[in-house]
Amino acid sequence: MPDALLYAAPLEGMTTWLWRRVHQEVFGGAHRYFTPFLSPNANHSFQTRELDEVRHNQDMAVIPQLLTNSSEHFLWAARELWNMGYEEVNFNLGCPSGTVCGKGKGAGLLLRREQLQQLLDEVFAALPRGMRVSVKTRIGWETDDEWPDLLTLYNRYPISELIVHPRVRKDFYRGRARQGILEGTETAISVIYNGDLFTPQSVESCLRDYPQLRGVMVGRGLMANPALLRQCQGGPAASREELRRYHDALYEAYCRRCSGDLPAIYKMRELWNYLSGSFQDTAGFLKKVRKARNRSEYLGAVEELFACHQLNAQPLPPAGK
Ligand SMILES: Cc1cc2nc3c(=O)[nH]c(=O)nc-3n(C[C@H](O)[C@H](O)[C@H](O)COP(=O)(O)O)c2cc1C
């Protein structure tokens, strides 16, 4: 996969700026990271958490992602980010959450085609000169028949990259991603595929089957196997020592930023829901992590995992996650 672009997907709550820094340092392999969505609003200010996401990305290729249904809020955020040195923002048109879609944002905008068109018209008319907008989209709300019209709409704009997650909103993350939709995806926009790529082999065959792709984006697969993108470039699988370093650096970073033992443990629980895929027989371990109430209980469980459990040769995210 010599020229393919390999992106790390945004996963709200997990791919924080702390995670991105630790991931790049220990495993690398991602040509770009994306922040979890930022929600600009009428206050014209980012929340503290959102500011953290965009202020700590020195020496890294990070694209901030925006979730909104207002061209005014989009443009405010784009100008702020441009002034901070960002040359691209990514527009979230895929989030399936009920609260988000209920407000007509994320995948909710795919239902409101006229509003989406007006928003894109207004955004592209007034962006800071030189700023790029990429789009991360699902292929429809209810059925994949919606995709051709949606693609026709996107084709009208100078979108810098189209990241396609071929599920409809109704799917959430269930069932298989509809990779075959790429067959009929005719566009001059550079396309990045995202969905259910969990192994280097699946990345390779996706890029082989669809040579028009500019690259791929991986989310849950990278959380289960943080070396996945490095392996896609011919590098080695994650070693036990690297996984330990990755865990310890992330846990200590969360401990420094959180007050009390529990918030850091909660962050690590979310990570372990996926990273446990790197180890064998983790049901008991996950139970202990869920029960851990303080640092020593948590680290005791982690110590035992690293001391006693085999690594999985082919780490996968747990089914249903
Ligand atoms: C817990 C979770 C949080 C997510 N947060 C975001 C987000 O903030 N922005 C976004 O565009 N997609 C988000 N996604 C979707 C992922 O970026 C990605 O599109 C999806 O997981 C499918 O790719 P995968 O099969 O490689 O995981 C999230 C997905 C999950 C499971």
Side-chain angles (χ1 to χ4, degrees):
M1 326 166 210
D3 299 323
L5 293 173
L6 303 171
Y7 293 171
L11 282 90
E12 215 234 324
M14 272 180 284
T15 60
T16 60
W17 68 274
L18 291 167
W19 174 83
R20 297 193 297 272
R21 295 210 79 85
V22 170
H23 181 266
Q24 171 160 288
E25 189 194 314
V26 180
F27 293 105
H31 294 124
R32 283 176 167 195
Y33 294 89
F34 291 70
T35 70
F37 62 79
L38 316 175
S39 296
N41 56 42
N43 298 335
H44 286 188
S45 63
F46 286 122
Q47 296 166 24
T48 312
R49 175 194 71 76
E50 296 177 329
L51 280 176
D52 277 338
E53 288 300 329
V54 293
R55 278 186 178 156
H56 298 284
N57 299 321
Q58 294 76 16
D59 309 318
M60 296 187 71
V62 177
I63 311 295
Q65 185 186 68
L66 301 180
L67 177 87
T68 179
N69 59 7
S70 151
S71 57
E72 190 219 323
H73 302 164
F74 190 110
L75 286 164
W76 170 80
R79 288 186 196 116
E80 286 289 300
L81 293 163
W82 176 259
N83 291 335
M84 293 171 80
Y86 289 98
E87 293 178 355
E88 179 177 329
V89 285
N90 179 259
F91 189 17
N92 179 325
L93 291 172
C95 181
S97 127
T99 346
V100 166
C101 293
K103 294 182 196 150
K105 300 180 186 176
L109 262 179
L110 304 180
L111 255 187
R112 300 162 169 82
R113 220 48 80 69
E114 284 179 14
Q115 190 185 348
L116 176 58
Q117 182 171 337
Q118 187 179 346
L119 188 150
L120 291 172
D121 283 342
E122 291 167 1
V123 162
F124 280 104
L127 268 183
R129 212 180 146 81
M131 189 160 213
R132 296 186 300 276
V133 174
S134 55
V135 165
K136 181 165 180 280
T137 185
R138 286 187 182 238
I139 57 171
W141 175 264
E142 185 95 33
T143 72
D144 50 23
D145 298 345
E146 298 163 44
W147 181 232
D149 282 352
L150 205 48
L151 190 59
T152 305
L153 175 67
Y154 293 143
N155 277 333
R156 292 201 196 119
Y157 300 94
I159 291 168
S160 62
E161 245 170 22
L162 200 55
I163 302 166
V164 181
H165 177 58
R167 283 190 169 90
V168 293
R169 188 271 178 170
K170 201 180 67 178
D171 296 334
F172 285 81
Y173 295 106
R174 293 185 292 263
R176 295 285 306 160
R178 306 163 197 232
Q179 210 177 94
I181 203 88
L182 292 172
E183 298 276 3
T185 297
E186 305 236 337
T187 175
I189 308 171
S190 148
V191 176
I192 304 284
Y193 173 84
N194 164 243
D196 298 357
L197 299 178
F198 300 145
T199 63
Q201 295 75 15
S202 63
V203 170
E204 197 174 335
S205 62
C206 176
L207 290 166
R208 196 184 45 238
D209 293 348
Y210 304 101
Q212 76 273 29
L213 289 176
R214 186 71 189 90
V216 296
M217 170 183 266
V218 298
R220 294 165 297 173
L222 189 64
M223 300 314 288
N225 170 14
L228 176 58
L229 292 177
R230 178 175 80 183
Q231 289 179 275
C232 291
Q233 298 180 47
S239 67
R240 187 179 294 268
E241 184 275 331
E242 283 177 318
L243 288 168
R244 185 70 212 236
R245 198 146 53 84
Y246 172 69
H247 167 272
D248 290 357
L250 199 55
Y251 178 56
E252 294 309 333
Y254 280 131
C255 287
R256 281 193 297 276
R257 305 274 309 180
C258 302
S259 63
D261 288 0
L262 273 177
I265 294 173
Y266 291 151
K267 294 301 286 180
M268 298 311 286
R269 265 189 210 169
E270 288 185 70
L271 184 89
W272 279 118
N273 281 336
Y274 293 89
L275 186 60
S276 56
S278 280
F279 294 84
Q280 294 180 13
D281 304 323
T282 53
F285 162 74
L286 287 172
K287 205 164 164 187
K288 283 184 192 151
V289 166
R290 263 179 237 125
K291 281 187 163 174
R293 286 284 164 272
N294 57 48
R295 182 178 172 89
S296 79
E297 285 171 9
Y298 172 71
L299 285 178
V302 170
E303 241 5 287
E304 194 185 320
L305 176 83
F306 277 95
C308 308
H309 290 245
Q310 299 286 321
L311 294 186
N312 265 336
Q314 189 75 278
L316 293 175
K321 280 283 178 194

